[in-house]
Amino acid sequence: MSRRIGRILAFQALYLWDVGGVPAEDLLSFSWLERDCADFADDARNSAGGIEPPAAPEIVGDAAALDASVADNGVKYCLIDNLLAVFEKLPSEKKEEVFAFARLLEQGTLEHINEVDVLIKTHLSARWSFRRINKVALAVIRMSVYSLLYQKELSASVVIDEAVEIVKDYGSDDSHKFTNAILDKISKDIVQS
């Protein structure tokens, strides 16, 4: 469960880098975590990649949970549902492991962003442009493609399943289906090469 939390923080960082132009240094320091969950949800609603996003609860999960943010060392975390309770109960060293995993995903994805984006673009159908991808789904897909390429100790099915679950919680209605399909194609190509 702590790796899921790390993935969520990493995808949120990548989302902020893409949509908000937050510098990579700030992402890696987690200074962006001081934003409110409601701010993150509003940004997600306003940047659905040129496609009209669904109603708020479908984008961010349980709307009541958005108001729940935990302060630890003055930092607010945007986690929904039971993940907030799980994170609150983690000892400090486990929280640091979550941050280290999130940093690894963030930094690795950003260091290889061109390669990751080219791989995503080459697996899109002719009818679908890169700019059309929902920004929440794109952040999760980018992070997952990095994992598929460079974290060989993780099974592709785990990476894809985690991505789909995160997009179900934070993305638009059918973006989890798109996420699953594109990551499955990329995973099969990586294995064959």
Side-chain angles (χ1 to χ4, degrees):
M1 193 57 89
S2 60
R3 285 225 165 171
R4 164 84 52 92
I5 295 169
R7 285 182 178 96
I8 290 169
L9 294 176
F11 115 73
Q12 290 176 350
L14 293 168
Y15 172 87
L16 292 171
W17 171 81
D18 188 26
V19 174
V22 178
E25 310 80 58
D26 292 344
L27 296 174
L28 295 171
S29 70
F30 290 102
S31 62
W32 58 273
L33 286 173
E34 297 195 31
R35 294 171 47 123
D36 254 345
C37 288
D39 290 343
F40 180 84
D42 289 342
D43 288 349
R45 282 186 209 101
N46 293 329
S47 66
I51 300 170
E52 183 62 30
E58 295 170 2
I59 289 180
V60 294
D62 180 14
L66 281 176
D67 294 329
S69 60
V70 60
D72 181 38
N73 299 326
V75 176
K76 292 181 180 179
Y77 307 93
C78 185
L79 300 170
I80 62 172
D81 301 328
N82 64 331
L83 294 179
L84 180 64
V86 169
F87 190 80
E88 282 181 313
K89 292 177 185 174
L90 291 176
S92 294
E93 62 274 1
K94 270 295 199 193
K95 287 180 182 176
E96 285 308 313
E97 286 178 25
V98 168
F99 288 135
F101 184 64
R103 280 186 192 101
L104 173 71
L105 291 174
E106 293 168 31
Q107 190 170 27
T109 302
L110 291 174
E111 285 176 2
H112 298 279
I113 196 70
N114 292 333
E115 178 185 7
V116 165
D117 284 353
V118 165
L119 201 50
I120 294 168
K121 289 173 185 175
T122 60
H123 287 84
L124 291 173
S125 73
R127 300 182 327 236
W128 202 274
S129 76
F130 186 77
R131 290 189 320 245
R132 188 175 166 202
I133 301 173
N134 174 288
K135 294 297 186 182
V136 169
L138 179 59
V140 175
I141 292 167
R142 281 173 161 163
M143 169 186 72
S144 301
V145 169
Y146 166 76
S147 290
L148 291 169
L149 286 169
Y150 294 102
Q151 294 182 307
K152 300 294 185 182
E153 72 279 6
L154 301 176
S155 94
S157 63
V158 169
V159 171
I160 295 169
D161 289 348
E162 286 287 310
V164 168
E165 290 304 313
I166 292 169
V167 172
K168 279 182 182 177
D169 286 340
Y170 292 89
S172 61
D173 276 345
D174 288 336
S175 58
H176 69 279
K177 294 175 186 174
F178 174 80
T179 299
N180 186 59
I182 192 117
L183 289 175
D184 187 55
K185 285 183 199 177
I186 291 170
S187 171
K188 287 175 181 169
D189 266 8
I190 291 171
V191 169
Q192 291 175 357
S193 53

